């Protein structure tokens, strides 16, 4: 056992490649045999990943899902920010400039609309649950933007750590829901072309959610959605502790 | 050479991230503003330009395509390291706020997709 652990830890990234590869193989097999391709294999794999993250987190009490298990530490590196961004940028290879130009304006508008709409919805939910402090309402609203905007806004405004934790949780719920919900809802919202993918990325904004959701819908749409989504968190961090907070303070 | 493509990809990301960080400092926000998006724009420009031919054609291009193809496995690994427990145990308000934000945003996709095209998007019945 100790021997196994030494080898696994020393080669953690390779273990991750093997484990993720096996997960994808099983997922595509299940998608093919049991759903006859109705559910995309990668959607099943991502759901399995989230389930594993839940049990990993329960087992270890850590924040990094399955990556906190000693034997699967490499998942943390493979699924970390650096590799995620590297692979996302790679998907832009071969994208046509004309497609980007066509959806440019709609993309920019959707980023702004996405941040503001998510914030308002989150703030309204906070109000409905009886929060009255503008700092707390703003922080929860910012959490509904993304799980990065929440804590950035909360700490800038001096919110308590419980409220910040709540805003992170709201952002995580959003990100997970986008991962799972996108392939299911895609047909109904016309998410089948580069233009709508850019709008989708701008409206949702959670890079992880958009990345996984589009991958499970149609990998060809990934670069378009990811392109706008990556501007969303920055804009959220800009607006959250400033204009959006002032607006909330004026109303409450 | 495969590594030329990988090097181009890496350079795009690093420079994009650097610009994103600078934008963050300049705008006084604690976040990288669009670093990945800027990097993607660089790669789009490079892959559509004749000047970068040696870095994107043949084996070099396969170096980029490999990482593009690794995208889904990396996303699966990313899903497996999310703090799913915190999302579930954050309390009912976190779940309500998350669900509501996603539902409204989904519903807006078909509306905003029409901007600038002048034509209506197919299948735009909304039941999110």
């Amino acid at each position: 056992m100790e021997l196994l652990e030494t080898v696994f830890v020393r080669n953690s990234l390779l273990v991750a490649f093997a484990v993720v590869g096996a997960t994808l193989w099983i997922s595509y097999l299940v998608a093919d045999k049991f759903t006859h391709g109705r559910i995309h294999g990668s959607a099943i794999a991502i759901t399995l990943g989230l389930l594993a993250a839940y049990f990993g987190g329960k087992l270890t009490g850590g924040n990094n899902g399955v990556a906190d298990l000693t034997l699967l530490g490499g998942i943390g590196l493979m699924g970390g920010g650096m590799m995620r961004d590297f692979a996302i940028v790679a998907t832009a290879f071969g994208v046509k400039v004309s497609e980007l130009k066509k959806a440019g304006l709609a993309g920019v508008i959707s980023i702004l609309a996405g941040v503001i709409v998510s914030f308002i919805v989150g703030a309204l939910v906070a109000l409905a649950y009886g929060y009255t402090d503008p700092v707390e309402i703003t922080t929860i609203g910012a959490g509904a933007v993304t799980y990065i905007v929440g804590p950035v806004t909360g700490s800038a405004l001096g919110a308590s750590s419980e409220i910040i934790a709540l805003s992170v949780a709201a952002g995580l719920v959003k990100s997970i829901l986008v991962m799972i919900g996108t392939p299911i809802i895609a047909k109904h919202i016309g998410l089948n072309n580069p233009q709508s993918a850019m709008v989708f990325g701008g409206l949702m904004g959670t890079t992880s959610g958009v990345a996984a959701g589009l991958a499970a819908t149609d990998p060809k749409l990934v670069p378009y959605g990811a392109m706008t989504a990556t501007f969303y968190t920055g804009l959220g961090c800009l607006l959250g502790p400033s204009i959006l907070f002032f607006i909330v303070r004026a109303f409450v | 050479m495969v590594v030329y493509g990988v090097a181009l990809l890496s350079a795009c990301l690093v420079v994009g991230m650097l610009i994103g960080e600078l934008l963050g400092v300049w705008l006084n926000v604690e976040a990288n503003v669009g670093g990945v998006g800027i990097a993607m724009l660089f790669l789009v420009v490079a892959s559509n330009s004749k000047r970068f031919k040696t870095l994107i054609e043949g084996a070099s291009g396969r170096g980029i395509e490999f990482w593009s193809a690794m995208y889904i496995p990396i996303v699966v690994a990313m899903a497996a390291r999310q703090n799913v427990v915190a999302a579930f145990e954050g309390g009912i308000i976190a779940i309500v706020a998350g669900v509501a934000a996603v539902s409204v945003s989904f519903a807006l996709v078909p509306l905003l997709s029409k901007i600038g095209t002048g034509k209506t998007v197919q299948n735009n019945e909304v039941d999110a």
Side-chain angles (χ1 to χ4, degrees):
Chain A
M1 191 62 202
E2 209 174 291
L3 207 81
L4 185 84
E5 203 174 297
T6 315
V7 173
F8 270 50
V9 169
R10 218 178 270 161
N11 301 290
S12 62
L13 184 60
L14 308 183
V15 173
F17 284 149
V19 170
V20 171
T23 308
L24 276 163
W25 182 71
I26 294 168
S27 303
Y28 278 93
L29 202 72
V30 169
D32 205 35
K33 288 259 155 45
F34 296 100
T35 76
H36 299 283
R38 263 195 302 269
I39 300 176
H40 203 285
S42 49
I44 295 174
I46 289 161
T47 311
L48 283 178
L50 290 171
L51 277 175
Y54 180 78
F55 289 113
K58 273 282 176 202
L59 225 58
T60 62
N63 297 329
N64 301 313
V66 88
D68 284 327
L69 295 168
T70 316
L71 294 181
L72 292 174
I75 299 274
L77 179 57
M78 183 178 173
M82 182 172 69
M83 298 296 266
R84 183 198 63 190
D85 293 343
F86 195 53
I88 287 180
V89 175
T91 64
F93 186 55
V95 161
K96 293 272 175 298
V97 180
S98 55
E99 292 285 0
L100 292 182
K101 277 193 187 142
K102 215 163 66 186
L105 178 66
V108 171
I109 292 173
S110 68
I111 299 169
L112 197 62
V115 170
I116 293 172
V117 164
S118 287
F119 178 84
I120 292 174
V121 171
L124 286 177
V125 170
L127 270 173
Y129 275 85
Y131 287 90
T132 49
D133 180 11
V135 169
E136 293 180 341
I137 294 169
T138 307
T139 306
I140 295 169
V145 178
T146 69
Y147 59 79
I148 297 172
V149 178
V152 165
T153 302
S155 34
L157 298 176
S160 69
S161 65
E162 295 93 77
I163 295 292
I164 291 179
L166 195 60
S167 78
V168 173
L172 282 172
V173 169
K174 179 179 178 184
S175 150
I176 290 166
L177 207 65
V178 174
M179 288 186 199
I180 299 173
T182 304
I184 300 169
I185 204 83
K187 254 193 246 117
H188 304 287
I189 56 175
L191 184 55
N192 55 13
N193 57 72
Q195 163 113 4
S196 58
M198 277 181 82
V199 167
F200 172 80
L203 278 171
M204 298 301 157
T206 146
T207 314
S208 330
V210 168
L214 287 179
T217 306
D218 180 358
K220 277 198 289 293
L221 300 178
V222 167
Y224 301 99
M227 181 104 56
T228 44
T230 59
F231 285 93
Y232 183 95
T233 290
L235 185 69
C237 293
L238 188 65
L239 298 181
S242 56
I243 301 171
L244 292 174
F245 173 61
F246 300 142
I247 294 173
V248 170
R249 206 176 44 181
F251 274 98
V252 181
Chain B
M1 289 245 284
V2 168
V3 75
Y4 292 168
V6 180
L8 173 69
L9 178 57
S10 307
C12 285
L13 182 55
V14 173
V15 174
M17 283 296 193
L18 215 58
I19 295 174
E21 289 293 331
L22 282 172
L23 273 176
V25 172
W26 183 58
L27 294 167
N28 210 4
V29 286
E30 289 173 57
N32 189 298
V33 181
V36 173
I38 295 163
M40 292 173 90
L41 287 177
F42 284 148
L43 190 65
V44 170
V45 170
S47 63
N48 282 289
S49 143
K50 284 198 176 69
R51 206 172 295 165
F52 291 92
K53 224 168 129 188
T54 45
L55 298 181
I56 54 170
E57 278 186 352
S60 305
R62 284 202 295 281
I64 304 175
E65 278 159 6
F66 171 79
W67 285 106
S68 174
M70 280 302 282
Y71 172 74
I72 287 175
I74 285 172
V75 162
V76 171
M78 177 196 78
R81 57 158 293 175
Q82 298 294 309
N83 197 352
V84 181
V85 174
F88 270 104
E89 291 175 355
I92 188 77
I93 174 172
I95 294 175
V96 172
V99 170
V102 172
S103 307
V104 175
S105 303
F106 272 151
L108 283 176
V109 173
L111 294 175
L112 288 180
S113 297
K114 288 176 198 160
I115 295 173
T117 55
K119 59 172 198 282
T120 47
V121 180
Q122 298 159 339
N123 307 323
N124 61 349
E125 76 262 31
V126 184
D127 51 8

